[in-house]
Amino acid sequence: MDGIIGIVLAGGMSSRFGSPKALAKLQGKLYYELACEAMSAIAERIVIVSRPEFRSQLQGNADVIEDDPDFAGCGPLAGIYSVMERYPAQLYAVLPCDMPYLTGDVLEALAASYKGEDVLAVSFAGKDHPLVGLYASTMMEPIQTALKQERYAVMKLLQTVNTRFVKGEEILPDQEQGMWTFKNINVPLE
């Protein structure tokens, strides 16, 4: 088994955004590239989960895969499961591509806060961010079960396992910076 595997979720429909978020740019870099840069601070290997039509446009040092065919298009849990199924590890760091301001130092602080939970995720300013977190390999079976039962809500699944939310304010003391760091971008910035 490898060390931490980084999972960059880059296959969403981006319906509010109007175009694929993974391929949007911020300061000359694509969102998925920014997510991979942040993830490289803690992950030995990075895997991007995307849709077939975007796959050829995602380049770099990360592996690019699609959802397991049994669960294709079933949301973030399908992406997480698909990586767990193909890349054995003890721990998986998860990050959506639509948080381009999140940096490696935040992920390092999150990893330093991990105490063996099934899931350690972030909460900032009263909002939970279940897709900014660390997922133990023990989550593979509960995720698979949820997917088979067509229960795709991440938060509902996290309520059934040993989940802890670390306050974003604790791992990023600058409140103003945090408002952007933990923000899902739903409209083009450039």
Side-chain angles (χ1 to χ4, degrees):
M1 290 197 171
D2 295 329
I4 295 176
I5 298 287
I7 301 174
V8 174
L9 300 171
M13 296 298 290
S14 305
S15 53
R16 288 179 286 176
F17 198 78
S19 61
K21 288 183 187 181
L23 303 173
K25 284 189 176 182
L26 177 66
Q27 299 170 353
K29 292 190 178 181
L30 299 171
Y31 281 17
Y32 86 90
E33 293 172 328
L34 293 166
C36 288
E37 279 181 19
M39 192 62 79
S40 69
I42 62 169
E44 289 183 16
R45 182 177 214 159
I46 300 169
V47 182
I48 301 169
V49 186
S50 191
R51 295 168 49 186
E53 59 267 31
F54 305 147
R55 193 170 181 169
S56 66
Q57 298 173 66
L58 305 174
Q59 300 176 10
N61 295 328
D63 294 349
V64 181
I65 67 167
E66 298 162 21
D67 286 342
D68 177 290
D70 291 338
F71 307 117
C74 293
L77 289 178
I80 295 167
Y81 172 78
S82 298
V83 174
M84 289 180 159
E85 178 185 47
R86 297 175 203 168
Y87 296 86
Q90 291 295 320
L91 198 58
Y92 298 84
V94 177
L95 183 62
C97 71
D98 65 355
M99 293 182 134
Y101 293 101
L102 202 144
T103 59
D105 58 339
V106 173
L107 293 177
E108 286 174 337
L110 179 65
S113 301
Y114 183 70
K115 294 181 172 58
E117 303 86 352
D118 291 329
V119 176
L120 174 65
V122 173
S123 178
F124 183 79
K127 182 176 184 312
D128 293 335
H129 297 282
L131 298 178
V132 177
L134 300 171
Y135 285 60
S137 60
T138 56
M139 286 300 296
M140 185 173 168
E141 187 176 326
I143 292 172
Q144 182 184 40
T145 299
L147 289 168
K148 284 181 177 179
Q149 295 174 355
E150 299 181 4
R151 293 182 290 116
Y152 306 131
V154 178
M155 284 300 291
K156 288 191 180 203
L157 175 63
L158 297 192
Q159 292 167 358
T160 68
V161 298
N162 177 17
T163 301
R164 179 169 66 94
F165 283 90
V166 64
K167 289 187 177 184
E169 294 85 349
E170 293 174 15
I171 61 174
L172 182 70
D174 183 342
Q175 182 86 9
E176 187 175 321
Q177 184 182 358
M179 296 308 284
W180 281 99
T181 299
F182 299 109
K183 183 170 182 59
N184 294 91
I185 305 300
N186 291 313
V187 294
L189 297 174
E190 289 186 6

